Amino acid sequence: MALILQSHNLFLASSSTKIAPKQNGGRYKASLQNPVNYLQNRRGLSLPKLQNMINMEELRMRKTSSSSSTITNKPPQTMPATATDDKGADLLVVKLHMIAEVAADRAEMHAIIGEQRNNWNSLLLNSINSITLTASIMAGLSTISIGGDQGSPHFLAFKLSSALLYTAATGMMFLVNKIQPSQLAEEQRNATRLFKQLERSIRTTLELYSTPTEMDVEEAMEKVLSLDKAYPLPLLPGMLEKFPKKLEPTVWWPKLQLPKRRVVPHNMTNSIGNNEKSIRWNEEVEEGMRGLRKVLKEKDEDQYVWFGNLFVKINKCLAISGPSLAGLAAVGAGLIGTPALGQWPVLLAVMGGVLATTINTLEHGFQIGMLLEMFRNCAGFYKKLEEEIELNLDESTEVEKRENVELFEMQMALQLGRRVSELKDFAPYASPSVKGDEFQGFAGKLF
């Protein structure tokens, strides 16, 4: 078969039309050579050599069989790993965007509720003061006689109205002192700020890191849940204790875990990588950070905890005194006109109302509850900085897993309102022999 195919090819190649040049009359002459004669006249051509040429039919059969076997034995196609990874990374990005949207929504909700509770404080303060002052005036007018020994014809109306107004003021004072609207408003303001900060942090993570990890999603989720626990939205139940026996710093962050956190994006150069981090975390930097942590704990945090406990006692005294005086004034207003008691019920009613108004103004006009919450949050702010420093200085933490020291120092300095070079001034305080009363000033300059 191969010989026939090759002979056919040679026949096609040798069969040619020869066109002679133009001759007389401009005609062409063509002649067709016999392929057999042509093959016989060719020198050096041996037909038996055609057996050594490639067998085309056999080649086609081999190619067909090999391709069919390849198709049969080829394993099922699987999705490339890069495509799977891309889908996983896209899902993580969507999750982070979702958490950022939730944080933004929480911030807006807390801002609205904070404005509402701030209005509560103003409206209830003015209403209660107006009620108590009106009751005091009525108690005084009830004893004024028109002429001679004849009593006032409106004596009973003034007396009962004064007693009812004092009773209403007592109940309102008790309720307002229980919920502390100014403290609630401060909680919502802090929650709004922290949720906005969390949203910006998530957006920054999405901008810096092209491929976020599952740890980033878990950390963002934990932060949202921790903020919800530290600053609850509902008033009842879930309201934070307004008069704790001992004030503790507010904790709005989850447990810090350094290996989960990344501070240097992957697309940056190695100039700020692990090698330089291990070099920069030297003894001098660690001593400065130990001294800073000691000052934060024994000076800054302790100061705000002390002030917070002081204002808890002041607020508790005012919260008890206001309703008590208003209640005594209500009793005095009810006893007005009793001959055996003389003028004492009138004096109790009028003076009790005035003192109750003054105490209510001191408590809610100066927003003692807001100051208490501010001190507690400031103490929590410094406590968070202490935990971050302690986590990076932990001996069990490998040096290459610590945060980049240059970024860490800048972050600490900015949060304390200082320059980076000033952090080295705290190194002498790291010694155990240095006591708290020997500290010169505070670590933070913002609060």
Side-chain angles (χ1 to χ4, degrees):
M1 184 68 181
L3 181 58
I4 296 173
L5 288 175
Q6 296 298 331
S7 301
H8 179 70
N9 292 336
L10 289 173
F11 172 78
L12 293 177
S14 59
S15 301
S16 59
T17 303
K18 290 187 178 182
I19 302 174
K22 289 183 180 181
Q23 294 180 357
N24 299 330
R27 296 180 180 179
Y28 292 90
K29 291 184 178 181
S31 63
L32 181 63
Q33 278 188 341
N34 191 343
V36 179
N37 297 331
Y38 177 78
L39 291 175
Q40 291 177 353
N41 295 331
R42 292 279 294 180
R43 294 182 179 180
L45 179 61
S46 176
L47 293 179
K49 290 184 178 180
L50 294 176
Q51 297 179 358
N52 297 328
M53 299 183 67
I54 300 175
N55 192 333
M56 300 299 294
E57 186 69 21
E58 184 179 357
L59 181 61
R60 291 194 188 97
M61 294 178 64
R62 289 180 181 179
K63 185 176 180 180
T64 304
S65 60
S66 62
S67 61
S68 61
S69 62
T70 304
I71 295 174
T72 305
N73 300 328
K74 185 176 180 179
Q77 293 182 353
T78 58
M79 185 177 295
T82 55
T84 305
D85 295 341
D86 291 342
K87 288 187 177 181
D90 293 341
L91 181 61
L92 295 177
V93 170
V94 172
K95 288 182 179 180
L96 284 178
H97 277 291
M98 186 183 301
I99 297 174
E101 292 297 330
V102 170
D105 183 66
R106 289 281 206 287
E108 186 175 359
M109 293 170 64
H110 281 283
I112 295 172
I113 294 177
E115 185 66 24
Q116 177 198 47
R117 291 172 181 176
N118 188 43
N119 292 336
W120 284 2
N121 185 68
S122 301
L123 294 174
L124 291 173
L125 170 64
N126 296 330
S127 300
I128 292 173
N129 288 346
S130 300
I131 290 172
T132 52
L133 289 177
T134 303
S136 298
I137 294 173
M138 287 184 174
L141 292 176
S142 64
T143 59
I144 298 177
S145 60
I146 296 178
D149 295 335
Q150 185 180 2
S152 173
H154 306 293
F155 167 75
L156 183 61
F158 282 143
K159 173 183 175 179
L160 293 179
S161 297
S162 177
L164 289 175
L165 287 176
Y166 275 132
T167 304
T170 302
M172 292 176 66
M173 282 186 182
F174 178 80
L175 179 62
V176 172
N177 294 341
K178 180 67 176 177
I179 65 176
Q180 293 289 315
S182 63
Q183 187 173 352
L184 291 173
E186 181 66 15
E187 290 177 7
Q188 307 311 314
R189 283 191 288 266
N190 281 293
T192 301
R193 180 180 64 86
L194 293 172
F195 270 113
K196 287 183 178 179
Q197 185 182 33
L198 176 59
E199 181 194 2
R200 291 192 299 268
S201 176
I202 296 174
R203 303 292 186 192
T204 303
T205 301
L206 291 171
E207 290 178 2
L208 291 181
Y209 303 102
S210 57
T211 55
T213 63
E214 189 69 31
M215 297 300 179
D216 295 325
V217 177
E218 292 180 2
E219 185 179 2
M221 284 286 295
E222 289 296 329
K223 287 181 179 180
V224 171
L225 297 178
S226 298
L227 281 173
D228 286 336
K229 183 179 179 181
Y231 302 101
L233 276 171
L235 185 62
L236 291 173
M239 185 175 62
L240 298 178
E241 187 178 1
K242 304 304 174 183
F243 304 99
K245 295 182 179 179
K246 183 179 179 181
L247 184 75
E248 297 291 340
T250 306
V251 178
W252 62 81
W253 61 92
K255 184 179 179 181
L256 300 178
Q257 297 182 6
L258 188 59
K260 290 186 178 182
R261 301 188 302 177
R262 301 177 303 178
V263 295
V264 181
H266 296 307
N267 56 357
M268 290 188 179
T269 58
N270 294 328
S271 59
I272 52 176
N274 293 335
N275 293 331
E276 186 172 343
K277 284 194 294 182
S278 61
I279 296 174
R280 290 293 305 279
W281 275 102
N282 50 34
E283 187 67 24
E284 181 182 2
V285 175
E286 292 182 359
E287 284 296 315
M289 288 298 169
R290 288 192 183 95
L292 177 60
R293 181 188 60 181
K294 187 175 181 180
V295 175
L296 286 173
K297 184 175 182 59
E298 299 182 11
K299 191 75 172 178
D300 295 74
E301 180 185 347
D302 186 69
Q303 176 201 22
Y304 284 105
V305 169
W306 185 85
F307 274 113
N309 286 316
L310 175 63
F311 273 81
V312 165
K313 296 177 182 178
I314 294 174
N315 198 27
K316 186 180 293 185
C317 292
L318 294 176
I320 295 174
S321 301
S324 300
L325 289 172
L328 290 175
V331 173
L335 296 176
I336 292 177
T338 304
L341 298 177
Q343 298 296 323
W344 286 105
V346 179
L347 181 63
L348 182 61
V350 176
M351 293 300 298
V354 173
L355 291 176
T357 304
T358 304
I359 291 176
N360 186 64
T361 303
L362 288 174
E363 181 181 6
H364 300 289
F366 285 95
Q367 301 188 6
I368 305 299
M370 182 273 292
L371 294 175
L372 166 64
E373 186 65 23
M374 183 186 69
F375 292 142
R376 180 158 57 182
N377 281 282
C378 289
F381 171 77
Y382 290 119
K383 183 178 179 64
K384 184 174 183 292
L385 297 184
E386 295 168 24
E387 290 189 6
E388 290 180 356
I389 296 174
E390 185 177 359
L391 185 63
N392 282 275
L393 295 179
D394 191 1
E395 295 180 356
S396 61
T397 303
E398 298 178 3
V399 179
E400 58 272 8
K401 290 184 179 181
R402 296 178 180 178
E403 295 193 31
N404 179 272
V405 67
E406 186 176 352
L407 298 178
F408 185 70
E409 284 182 320
M410 180 177 292
Q411 179 188 11
M412 286 293 160
L414 290 174
Q415 290 181 336
L416 296 174
R418 292 180 173 273
R419 297 181 181 274
V420 178
S421 58
E422 296 179 8
L423 299 181
K424 299 179 181 179
D425 299 337
F426 295 98
Y429 301 140
S431 176
S433 60
V434 180
K435 303 301 180 181
D437 53 357
E438 300 180 18
F439 297 152
Q440 296 180 359
F442 298 90
K445 292 185 177 181
L446 294 180
F447 304 108

